Amino acid sequence: MRARLRLNVDMKSSGPGSMTIGDVAGRFGLATHVLRHWEAEGLLSPARDAGGRRRYTEADVTRVAVILRAKQAGLSLEVIRVMITEPARRHFVLRGEAEALRGRIAAAQESLALMECALGCDHEDVMECPHFHRALAEQSAAFSGRMEGVGRGEDVRTD
């Protein structure tokens, strides 16, 4: 009688619900070194298997999604780390970041309005358009108002 060995090529060395670093990186279109860097920065802490390989759970995948969304909003890795690992400081830090983000959104909306004004202009040279000049002057005045106090030692956040 001959012994038969059956090979299952679909086997994984991990338990159900865990993914490799390559799986997670591929899911988000990231290089694996990015996930390793985030781990070194204290943003991720995947479990390790018996061989020392990182194993990511769905909770880790959710955290990666949160990190990516926070980076998209302009948050630094340090602020993201505070947001997800330091509940006591989270509200204080995020209040300032939310205000800065509101400022960036307002500036982007003003830029978009100016672009739309230029797109709607019938003048060959937009710089000759009185409507464009009026829109630019209004935005410049609003910007100058926000910049009051700059250079006089007052704390004005413009980023």
Side-chain angles (χ1 to χ4, degrees):
M1 184 168 197
R2 291 168 101 185
R4 293 180 72 189
L5 177 62
R6 188 172 194 168
L7 179 62
N8 185 348
V9 294
D10 294 324
M11 285 179 50
K12 296 208 176 204
S13 62
S14 62
S18 70
M19 293 169 267
T20 66
I21 192 169
D23 293 337
V24 176
R27 186 169 175 175
F28 291 99
L30 299 170
T32 55
H33 71 86
V34 172
L35 297 175
R36 288 187 198 98
H37 176 68
W38 291 350
E39 183 179 349
E41 293 293 318
L43 298 169
L44 296 171
S45 54
R48 302 286 178 137
D49 65 14
R53 292 177 296 267
R54 292 167 178 84
R55 303 309 304 182
Y56 293 82
T57 64
E58 280 302 318
D60 295 315
V61 170
T62 298
R63 188 172 272 209
V64 170
V66 167
I67 294 166
L68 288 171
R69 179 55 60 140
K71 285 181 61 54
Q72 187 179 39
L75 301 183
S76 69
L77 292 181
E78 174 59 21
V79 168
I80 297 168
R81 189 189 59 71
V82 168
M83 181 179 77
I84 62 180
T85 66
E86 297 186 38
R89 292 183 54 209
R90 179 180 64 230
H91 289 90
F92 175 77
V93 170
L94 288 181
R95 269 190 217 102
E97 293 297 329
E99 187 60 34
L101 180 57
R102 284 185 202 96
R104 291 193 301 274
I105 290 169
Q109 288 172 331
E110 289 171 358
S111 296
L112 179 60
L114 198 57
M115 283 184 214
E116 288 174 343
C117 180
L119 284 169
C121 178
D122 291 333
H123 287 77
E124 187 172 316
D125 182 356
V126 73
M127 298 306 293
E128 294 176 9
C129 175
H131 183 257
F132 183 78
H133 275 267
R134 204 169 28 258
L136 184 59
E138 289 170 5
Q139 286 191 11
S140 295
F143 180 75
S144 294
R146 285 194 304 271
M147 295 302 291
E148 286 281 322
V150 173
R152 292 185 298 196
E154 296 178 30
D155 185 21
V156 177
R157 187 174 186 151
T158 60
D159 57 343

